[in-house]
Structures are given as structure tokens and as C-alpha cells.
Amino acid sequence: MNTKTRVDQGVLSSDDKLQAAYEVQAIFQHAFIGIAMTRDRRFVRCNKVFANMLGYSQQDLVGLPGRCIYPSDEAYAQMGAEAGGLLAAGQPFRTERYFVRQDGTEVLCAVSASTVDPSHPEWGTIWLCSDITVERQQQAQLRTALLENQALVDGAALGIVVLKNRRVERCNPQLETMFGYAAGTMLGMSTRAWYVNAAEFEGVGVRLYDQLAQGGAVTQEQRLQRRDGSILWVRMSGRQLGVGSPMSGTTLWMYDDITEKRQIEDALSAATALNQAVFDSAGAALIATDTQGVIQLFNAAAERMLGYGAAELQYQETPALLHDGAEVQAYAAQLSDELGELVEPGFDVFCIKARLSGKDEREWTYICKNGQRIPVSLCVTALRAPSGQITGYLGIATDISERKKAQQLIQQSKEELEAKVLQRTTELADSNVRLQAEVSERSEIERQMRDLAHYDPVTGLPNRNLLRDRMTQALLQGKRDNGHVAVMFLDLDRFKNINDTLGHQVGDALLRLVALRLSMALRTTDTLARIGGDEFVLILPGLCSANYVEGVADKLLSALQAPMEVQEHILHITTSIGICIYPQDGADTDVLLRNADTAMYQAKAAGRNTYRFFTESMNQEADRHFRIESALRSGVRDNELRLLFQPLIDMTHNRIFGVEALVRWQSPILGLVMPGQFIGIAEETDLIVEIDSWVFRQACEQAAQWRRQGFPDITLAVNLSARQFRRKDLVAFVSGVLAQTGYPAHLLELEITESALMHNVAEVIQTLDQLVALGVRLAIDDFGTGYSSLAYLKRFPVHKLKIDQSFVRDIGQADSDLGIIKTVIALAQTLKLDLLAEGVETQAHLMTLRAMGCECFQGYLFSKPVTAGEIEKMLGATATSLLR
């Protein structure tokens, strides 16, 4: 039996009455419209909204006669005459009336009234009032504008239409443009054509037209469709004109296109869902608090670790709920000594260092719900708003019980071993000890001498001398058995970048880890040797099939896939492998090593992190590679490089907003050479720095000349190679060229690849900050093809992300590429970065990217790379005029 039934049957309990009283009180306090109760024509109760609407306080208005808010006795009497009969019959009464505020001004209100109980009129009447003064004034102004100034309607930014019987009587050009119709073709059209399906069309008719029939204005966000079937979202606002049924009568509607707003909201929702999924799926316990230590958020790992349910953790205080009180007091005393000020043993213990340095990490003891005490490593980080104000704290807790047990076992074993060694040592005679020391020292010296002659001092692997010896033995055995021997030549990819950037100590430590991982993937009969720098050679004797060699190569590549931690640096390294087989690829050591080396260079040319078997044609390719390198050195010296420019397009404003500088090589021997044919060779030598410097200087001089000739300011985008970016004097070089050419720094945009940013991040951020301080803009080129960390990306002071053309090229063919593009767009919007898509070659590319929220483009759809003179002809043209 519900509360209403009990009231009707007269069996309402005291608890029911108390509940009803609470509910009424809540309605009066929190309603957004004015509510008042009258009895015997006097106000006996009202909420704050009602009193404020009429310029009274609640206390002043209660007790006054109803007549006090009417402009005249006649108005008061008319209201009574109209409302009295309906209210007495138990029917609701609705109207619009002018009331008088306490200060004498008038306010127009929408009024709804009903008796508390028609069978007991002495209980009083409930009045609901909304101030519609401004709304009616605006509607009157709009009607006047529509009737008196058709030009204003035609030029309005919103779509405006007058409907009769839900058919178009009159509309402005903006509405025709919004829905994709030619001028004048919408007259007489049924609005059913605008709706995706009949159900939505009929639903709007039921919801909105019923409201219009009650005399009010309506507003709603609605999904509609254009003439071509594409979807748009609008905010539609309507009002009835005249009298009668709005469904068959005349109504006025305004449509505001909010499609882009909805797309942004969807992207933000997706990013929020992704963040929540990451939070929930984290393996460590995550606990977020406000600034007072009250728990606001936590994940499933925290519930599992502590044994509490969701309701038991949220809005509880930490450390009172979770921590050992003695530990908290001890750390408070330690902090008091360190900081020279009293730290109370409360939540401040956990957040004071986080406020000062960003985080506080130490070990604590957590007390679970069942009383179990577990050791944890707790890292507390201050959460800050964009203004820098701390909004709360995030604690990341990891259960270290197993680590503690292991440490205890290790310590116990160490103590036992030390005791046994001490006992044994004391038992040996002094003479015997001295003799053993001399023998050991001599043996160690002899071992070291052998190692220096045959083993690499950095990795402990066989060196070139021992490799030749073992290779000779393997070839002799293969000749006797009529068998095969494989020789693999391994060269680490981009190891020199790590060595130059982080130093030789880090490089040597990385080589040792590489040697260990490779060795673990081999048989005991195989020989892995380091022959110098980042080069290794592997001998595989006793081969049974070529498939086995491929399997070993795949294992070696897989062994290096996982990142390596070296002196607090997380490093990624791959290798390129060349393979040759005895006897078909060579019969002696030198020929086999040379041919394996040639195959290795082919693996690098194929994109690195792969392997290639030697073929005779590779010697021809190696010769071609050498000839191109020699010709390129001469070409750079003899000024054979050519500079082209490709327009950067902003479709939102239908304009060219910039150009990207691109290099070509016009060789008198080889003809026009594209970058893909010589940039890789240049990156293997120091030529890339010289080429980059030439391109940067020439591009700035040309852009400065355009400004002097009076062309509009445009952005100049220039690529920096990884080698150029690591120059110690990069900032000084950029600043010097800008000063010499007179080109403004704010119009320059430097493009840097993801991989170039991910080595020695601290120095990278320092260099980026210095470039930004000059006024230069920064863009991450080929975004999505590298392995950049989102945590680092948030710290990099970049301005733009460029979607790599490899993703754009496969739009409509690979769902994964489309998903990556959507993610990059959402990421750019979340981080408030500019966005540009490269490689746009078709209308399909353009339409798909624009629908996903990307508005800046580069590609052959607009223009191929062209000379400076051809760019001058394009400047000032619209983007759409360039479409091919």
C-alpha cells in the first residue's frame, strides 16, 4: 500500500506524515519556480524564488493579502472571477498575469493554480509562478523584426522558418543552406523530409506541439538530416503565431546548427570513458582524495587489496581508515625535523611533500578490513588544476609483501653464508691461505690475459680474433660433413643516437643487456661475437634447413622487442640482420663476413628491425648505394639541392595558412632524385645535418622575401631530422638564421618526429622550451607511427600534431587506421593542440577527416610540392579553388 493509498484510506502513520513533511519542505526549498500557498486570500507560505520574484523577503510576504501583488482592484477581481469556478470544481487554472513588485514595478508571470483538496477548500490553494517578462519581450521583438524587417531575417546566422500544418510557408536563406536546398525549393515542403525516420518526426509533433498549445515557447536539441542524407544536429526553438491548434496553425521556428558541438562532446565523452577504463583496469591500487583527505575515487584493485566494498571506502577519511597510527606519528615527527615546522600526525603527513615537490613516495603499512597488515609502496601525487591550484591527491599503492619476504630470505641467507665463510676462514692455516692467494692471483692474471686476447671487455662475448678461430673450425667441419654453416651479421639500429645523446656509460650498459638477451636465444654450440661498436656476428654450425635459420633470426628480433631499463632510462633498440650460408654464398671467412654485411645493409634499407638473406644482386645494390652517397656529397657541395613548397590548407576559413618546405636533389647524373632515395643515405652520414641546415636557411630567406614583397603572412613549416635536433647549438642556430633573414619567429613551425623526442627526455624538454621561448611553434610530425608516451606528450610544449599519411591513405580500407585517426583527433582536442592531416589525396579522404573534426590538411588533393614562384600565384586563393 503506497503513501497515497494510505492517505485516501485514512491510515497514514506518523512516519508517513514525517516523510511527507520532509518531501514538501524539499520541494519548497529546491524548486526553480516560485511556489506559494494562500488560505482565506492571504499568503500563508512561499519559497524564496516566489518572494524574490515579487521583491519581498519570505518573512515580509507571509501574512499579506493576495491583493498586494495586483496592479488594481479590478485586476484582482478579474483574477478571482476567472480562477474561482475552475478551482472550486477541482480543475487546474493556468494564465499569464502582470503582478506588482514591492517597489511598484510590474512583472509578467506564467501562473498555474490548484486547490490542495477540492473537497476541503478551506485547506487553501497552491500557486506556481514563473517570471516570463523577458521571454515575452524577446518574442514580441522577434515577431516585430520578422514582420517589419525581412532583410534582417534573410541575413540572420540562424535558420528561420514559418510553418503551417508543419509545411514551409516562408524561410530565410540560412535555413536552405543548412539543409542543402537551392533557394526557393523548400516552400510548401513537409518537415517530414528533415527527419531521419517517421518515429522521430511524430515524436517531435507529440512533445513540442503539445507544449506550444499551452502557450509557451519550446526549445530542444534534435537530430535531423540534410538533403544529401548526412546528419546534422540542431537546437530548435519554436513559438506559435496566432491562435488555434499549433499542429494545423502557424508556428515560428529558429534552427541553430550544433553539429560540431555535438562531435566535440562525443570526442570528450570517449576520452573520458578511456580515462575511466584505464583507471579501473590499473593493476595497482589507486585512491584519490580531496584536499582534506576524504576519499573521492578508488579502483577495483584498491577494493581487492583492502577488502572493503565501494560504499565502505567512498567519503571515508584517510589515514584514519587505512594506516597504522604509530607509523603516521613517527613520520610526522621526522617531517617536523626536516622542515623545521610542526607537522600534525594527520593527512598532512601524506601531502605536505607532494605539495612542495609534486609527489611523496615511501613505504607504509596498510590495515585491511579483516585486520591483516600488509606492507605497501605508496606514491602520493598532488593533482592540480590548470591554474596551478591543488584540487586533491592521488595515491598509488603497490603490495610489496612478496618483495619484503624475498628481502628477508636474502638477508637470512647472506648472514648464514657470512657465518660459514668466517668459520671456514679461521680454520685455515696462515701459510695455506697465502699459498692459495698466490695461486689464485697467478690464475686470475693468466685468465685476464686470455680474455683480453679473445673476449670483448664490454660484453664478455668472443672478440674478432676468437670469432675467426671458431669460424675456421666451423667451416672445416662443414666441409668434412658436406654440411652448411650460417653466418649472421647484426647491426643495432640507431645505436649511435643513444650513445651520442646519453653517453658511453649508458651505451656500454645497453650493449651488455643486448648481448645477454641475444645469447639466451641461442644454442650452446652457436657462437655470438662482438666485433666492434654496435656490430655482432653469429655462427650457426650444423644446419639442417634454411627454415631453421629464419626461425633463429625471428627469435633474435623478438628478444630485443621489450624495452630495456638502463640507469633510469627506458630504451628501445632493434637490430638489422644480414644472413649468408656456407658454401653457396662463400667458401672462406672474409667472403662470408663481407656478404653477410652486405645483406645487413639491405635489411636496414628495408626499414630496419628485419633480416635479409644474401643474394648476388646485393653486391650491385651495395655498389649503387656507394655511388649515390658519393654523388650526394658532390651534389650538396655543388648546390644541386632544390627547395619546393607544399600548401597547408585551413578548410574552416577556406584559405592557405602556410607552406611546408621540402627538398629535392637535381643530379646531373641521376636526374631528379626524390627524398626517399637519398635521405636515408644522408642520415647514415653527417650529410643530413648539412642538408637540414641548407633547407632551413633557404626556406627562411624565401619566406622573408615573400613578406617584403607584400604577400600575406603565412606559417612556414620546416622538418628537423633527429640528428639536427640533437645538435648542441640548435637553439643558437635557429635564432641566428631568424635574425639574419628577418623572418618572425612566431610564423616559423619546426616539425620533429616522435622517435626524435623519446631519447633523454629531460634534455629534449629543455631544448623544446628554449625554442618556444624564441617564439617558434613546434609540431610532432608523422604522429602515431612512433612509440611516444602520453605522459611525456603532455609535458612536451608542442602546438600541433600531424596525422601520418600512412593512416590517411587507407581510410575506407582499414578500420584500425580509422580508429587511430579518431583517437589522435580526440587526443589533440583534449590536449588543446592544433591538428593537420598529411597525404590527403581524394575527396573521400577530405570528407571523412572533416566529419571526424579535422579541418587542416596537406596533400595532392590541393597541390603537389611546387616552386616558390608557383606558391606566389596561389597565395590569396581560396582552398576550394585548389581542389583537384
Side-chain angles (χ1 to χ4, degrees):
M1 183 183 302
N2 58 33
T3 303
K4 183 178 185 305
T5 303
R6 292 197 294 271
V7 171
D8 293 341
Q9 297 183 1
V11 294
L12 193 63
S13 68
S14 59
D15 289 341
D16 292 333
K17 295 177 181 178
L18 182 60
Q19 178 185 352
Y22 283 147
E23 292 174 351
V24 171
Q25 181 64 22
I27 291 172
F28 263 77
Q29 289 179 348
H30 301 296
F32 62 89
I33 63 174
I35 304 176
M37 176 181 287
T38 60
R39 190 178 299 134
D40 296 331
R41 298 198 173 190
R42 287 184 178 273
F43 292 106
V44 296
R45 190 174 188 183
C46 70
N47 66 354
K48 189 174 181 179
V49 175
F50 188 88
N52 290 344
M53 190 185 304
L54 296 169
Y56 291 87
S57 67
Q58 289 175 270
Q59 294 82 357
D60 291 343
L61 189 57
V62 172
L64 293 179
R67 167 64 182 83
C68 70
I69 66 171
Y70 286 85
S72 66
D73 291 338
E74 291 78 8
Y76 180 61
Q78 182 182 357
M79 183 69 158
E82 293 179 6
L86 292 174
L87 295 176
Q91 298 181 15
F93 171 71
R94 296 183 180 87
T95 187
E96 293 181 3
R97 281 291 190 278
Y98 279 99
F99 293 138
V100 178
R101 297 188 179 94
Q102 188 178 21
D103 60 6
T105 60
E106 290 188 342
V107 55
L108 179 61
C109 294
V111 181
S112 177
S114 62
T115 56
V116 175
D117 187 338
S119 61
H120 297 279
E122 70 277 6
W123 287 2
T125 304
I126 299 293
W127 301 85
L128 306 179
C129 295
S130 298
D131 185 349
I132 60 171
T133 307
V134 175
E135 179 183 348
R136 288 295 182 267
Q137 291 172 349
Q138 292 174 342
Q139 292 171 353
Q141 293 170 357
L142 178 60
R143 284 194 296 270
T144 301
L146 288 172
L147 295 174
E148 296 181 356
N149 196 341
Q150 184 62 37
L152 177 63
V153 173
D154 291 344
L158 301 179
I160 302 176
V161 60
V162 176
L163 302 178
K164 186 171 185 180
N165 197 20
R166 303 190 76 178
R167 289 184 175 274
V168 177
E169 287 271 302
R170 187 169 67 235
C171 67
N172 68 347
Q174 178 61 25
L175 188 82
E176 296 169 331
T177 301
M178 185 181 300
F179 283 89
Y181 287 89
T185 59
M186 296 183 77
L187 296 180
M189 175 186 294
S190 170
T191 57
R192 169 62 184 88
W194 305 347
Y195 288 83
V196 177
N197 53 57
E200 292 187 15
F201 173 73
E202 293 167 2
V204 168
V206 172
R207 290 191 305 275
L208 300 190
Y209 279 83
D210 282 355
Q211 296 178 42
L212 290 176
Q214 298 175 17
V218 295
T219 299
Q220 175 176 299
E221 292 187 3
Q222 178 64 39
R223 180 182 68 162
L224 298 174
Q225 64 179 358
R226 301 183 181 90
R227 182 184 182 185
D228 61 6
S230 60
I231 298 299
L232 77 157
W233 281 88
V234 300
R235 181 180 292 106
M236 50 192 294
S237 301
R239 181 77 182 175
Q240 182 175 3
L241 300 178
V243 296
S245 169
M247 185 70 75
S248 59
T250 303
T251 53
L252 172 68
W253 296 87
M254 290 181 289
Y255 291 79
D256 185 8
D257 188 343
I258 59 170
T259 305
E260 184 177 356
K261 169 179 172 292
R262 290 293 294 251
Q263 292 172 344
I264 293 173
E265 290 173 350
D266 291 343
L268 180 59
S269 176
T272 302
L274 175 61
N275 290 339
Q276 187 62 43
V278 171
F279 185 85
D280 290 339
S281 61
L286 305 180
I287 302 175
T289 74
D290 61 13
T291 56
Q292 303 303 314
V294 176
I295 298 175
Q296 303 296 316
L297 292 173
F298 50 90
N299 65 353
E303 295 182 44
R304 291 193 299 269
M305 176 187 291
L306 301 170
Y308 288 97
E312 296 172 294
L313 279 179
Q314 195 164 24
Y315 305 125
Q316 299 299 312
E317 293 186 0
T318 179
L321 179 67
L322 306 176
H323 286 268
D324 183 298
E327 284 188 351
V328 175
Q329 290 182 347
Y331 190 38
Q334 177 184 331
L335 286 174
S336 298
D337 292 338
E338 290 180 7
L339 303 176
E341 62 182 55
L342 179 63
V343 178
E344 295 293 339
F347 183 67
D348 220 29
V349 165
F350 300 90
C351 62
I352 190 168
K353 280 196 172 181
R355 287 200 302 268
L356 297 174
S357 62
K359 70 176 182 179
D360 185 10
E361 186 170 2
R362 61 181 288 108
E363 294 181 5
W364 293 93
T365 300
Y366 267 179
I367 302 175
C368 302
K369 181 180 179 181
N370 62 4
Q372 179 186 0
R373 300 165 67 88
I374 58 174
V376 299
S377 174
L378 178 64
C379 178
V380 179
T381 303
L383 304 177
R384 298 181 184 271
S387 63
Q389 179 182 2
I390 294 178
T391 59
Y393 298 90
L394 174 65
I396 304 175
T398 306
D399 186 346
I400 57 173
S401 301
E402 294 302 321
R403 190 177 81 188
K404 285 290 186 181
K405 291 177 183 177
Q407 289 174 347
Q408 292 172 359
L409 290 173
I410 293 172
Q411 182 63 28
Q412 181 181 347
S413 300
K414 180 180 178 182
E415 292 173 356
E416 293 175 354
L417 179 60
E418 289 176 349
K420 290 180 180 179
V421 170
L422 180 61
Q423 179 183 2
R424 180 60 179 161
T425 302
T426 57
E427 294 175 354
L428 296 174
D430 291 342
S431 60
N432 190 36
V433 171
R434 287 196 298 272
L435 178 60
Q436 285 186 334
E438 291 176 2
V439 172
S440 298
E441 183 178 0
R442 180 182 294 272
S443 299
E444 179 63 20
I445 291 173
E446 291 176 352
R447 186 192 65 78
Q448 290 179 2
M449 292 179 66
R450 288 195 303 270
D451 287 352
L452 288 174
H454 296 98
Y455 291 89
D456 171 50
V458 175
T459 63
L461 296 175
N463 62 13
R464 187 182 293 270
N465 294 331
L466 185 54
L467 170 70
R468 285 184 168 275
D469 180 69
R470 293 189 179 178
M471 194 165 176
T472 299
Q473 295 178 30
L475 296 181
L476 289 174
Q477 185 67 38
K479 185 175 182 180
R480 283 195 297 268
D481 298 340
N482 196 25
H484 295 78
V485 179
V487 179
M488 293 188 179
F489 199 110
L490 291 77
D491 187 278
L492 301 183
D493 300 326
R494 299 187 177 91
F495 174 80
K496 188 176 186 303
N497 296 345
I498 297 175
N499 220 27
D500 293 346
T501 304
L502 304 181
H504 292 288
Q505 287 186 346
V506 173
D508 289 349
L510 178 59
L511 287 173
R512 285 190 286 272
L513 283 176
V514 169
L516 177 61
R517 288 197 182 180
L518 294 177
S519 299
M520 293 175 65
L522 302 174
R523 306 172 300 182
T524 56
T525 56
D526 301 332
T527 296
L528 177 67
R530 178 178 177 237
I531 62 174
D534 56 355
E535 296 176 337
F536 298 81
V537 172
L538 172 61
I539 307 172
L540 300 176
L543 293 183
C544 57
S545 69
N547 290 339
Y548 175 78
V549 179
E550 293 184 358
V552 173
D554 287 331
K555 287 172 65 177
L556 296 177
L557 295 176
S558 298
L560 300 183
Q561 286 301 310
M564 304 183 191
E565 183 173 358
V566 180
Q567 299 183 12
E568 299 182 352
H569 298 283
I570 303 299
L571 303 177
H572 298 257
I573 196 74
T574 58
T575 186
S576 299
I577 305 174
I579 306 171
C580 66
I581 308 295
Y582 166 87
Q584 58 260 40
D585 296 330
D588 63 60
T589 298
D590 290 333
V591 172
L592 289 170
L593 287 175
R594 184 172 64 252
N595 289 344
D597 185 34
T598 299
M600 179 274 295
Y601 275 103
Q602 290 300 309
K604 283 192 176 292
R608 299 182 172 87
N609 193 27
T610 188
Y611 59 86
R612 288 292 184 269
F613 283 84
F614 173 80
T615 62
E616 195 58 40
S617 62
M618 288 184 178
N619 281 328
Q620 300 173 3
E621 178 62 24
D623 179 67
R624 190 188 72 85
H625 185 285
F626 176 77
R627 287 190 294 105
I628 290 178
E629 180 180 343
S630 300
L632 181 59
R633 289 188 181 277
S634 301
V636 172
R637 184 186 64 243
D638 297 340
N639 197 28
E640 295 173 6
L641 298 180
R642 299 292 181 264
L643 194 63
L644 300 181
F645 300 89
Q646 189 170 31
L648 306 179
I649 304 300
D650 176 3
M651 289 301 294
T652 300
H653 299 93
N654 196 20
R655 68 186 182 95
I656 300 173
F657 74 90
V659 295
E660 181 178 359
L662 301 169
V663 66
R664 299 291 186 268
W665 175 24
Q666 186 65 53
S667 169
I669 300 173
L670 304 175
L672 180 64
V673 186
M674 302 301 287
Q677 298 174 276
F678 69 87
I679 289 298
I681 296 175
E683 288 178 338
E684 296 174 5
T685 67
D686 290 331
L687 282 174
I688 189 64
V689 175
E690 190 172 350
I691 292 173
D692 276 0
S693 300
W694 181 87
V695 170
F696 181 76
R697 186 179 299 277
Q698 292 294 318
C700 288
E701 288 179 353
Q702 179 60 64
Q705 181 178 342
W706 283 335
R707 296 189 80 231
R708 290 192 296 270
Q709 291 175 344
F711 289 102
D713 285 348
I714 58 173
T715 296
L716 172 65
V718 183
N719 288 281
L720 288 185
S721 68
R723 189 77 65 86
Q724 177 85 334
F725 182 69
R726 286 192 293 274
R727 285 179 53 173
K728 297 297 183 183
D729 63 340
L730 173 63
V731 177
F733 170 73
V734 171
S735 176
V737 171
L738 291 176
Q740 294 166 12
T741 60
Y743 193 65
H746 73 276
L747 296 178
L748 174 64
E749 184 172 270
L750 297 179
E751 298 183 1
I752 310 162
T753 61
E754 279 185 275
S755 56
L757 297 175
M758 295 311 299
H759 293 293
N760 200 359
V761 173
E763 288 189 11
V764 166
I765 293 176
Q766 182 180 8
T767 300
L768 296 178
D769 286 337
Q770 291 174 351
L771 290 171
V772 171
L774 295 178
V776 174
R777 290 174 52 84
L778 303 175
I780 298 183
D781 196 17
D782 301 338
F783 187 77
T785 62
Y787 48 81
S788 60
S789 163
L790 294 182
Y792 286 139
L793 180 60
K794 185 172 63 175
R795 295 171 55 194
F796 292 150
V798 299
H799 305 85
K800 178 186 290 184
L801 300 181
K802 296 188 71 174
I803 302 174
D804 185 65
Q805 59 182 333
S806 62
F807 302 126
V808 175
R809 186 184 306 117
D810 294 334
I811 284 178
Q813 302 177 17
D815 292 340
S816 58
D817 288 342
L818 201 61
I820 291 173
I821 293 174
K822 290 180 180 178
T823 301
V824 173
I825 292 174
L827 180 63
Q829 292 171 344
T830 301
L831 297 179
K832 295 182 173 57
L833 300 178
D834 294 337
L835 189 69
L836 183 141
E838 302 177 302
V840 178
E841 297 182 356
T842 68
Q843 285 284 357
H845 291 169
L846 180 65
M847 292 178 64
T848 302
L849 288 165
R850 293 197 73 185
M852 289 190 290
C854 181
E855 288 295 327
C856 293
F857 309 93
Q858 177 182 356
Y860 276 50
L861 179 63
F862 300 96
S863 172
K864 65 181 181 181
V866 297
T867 64
E870 291 174 295
I871 286 292
E872 293 173 3
K873 299 175 183 178
M874 297 180 186
L875 293 179
T878 62
T880 51
S881 68
L882 301 180
L883 288 175
R884 300 184 168 206

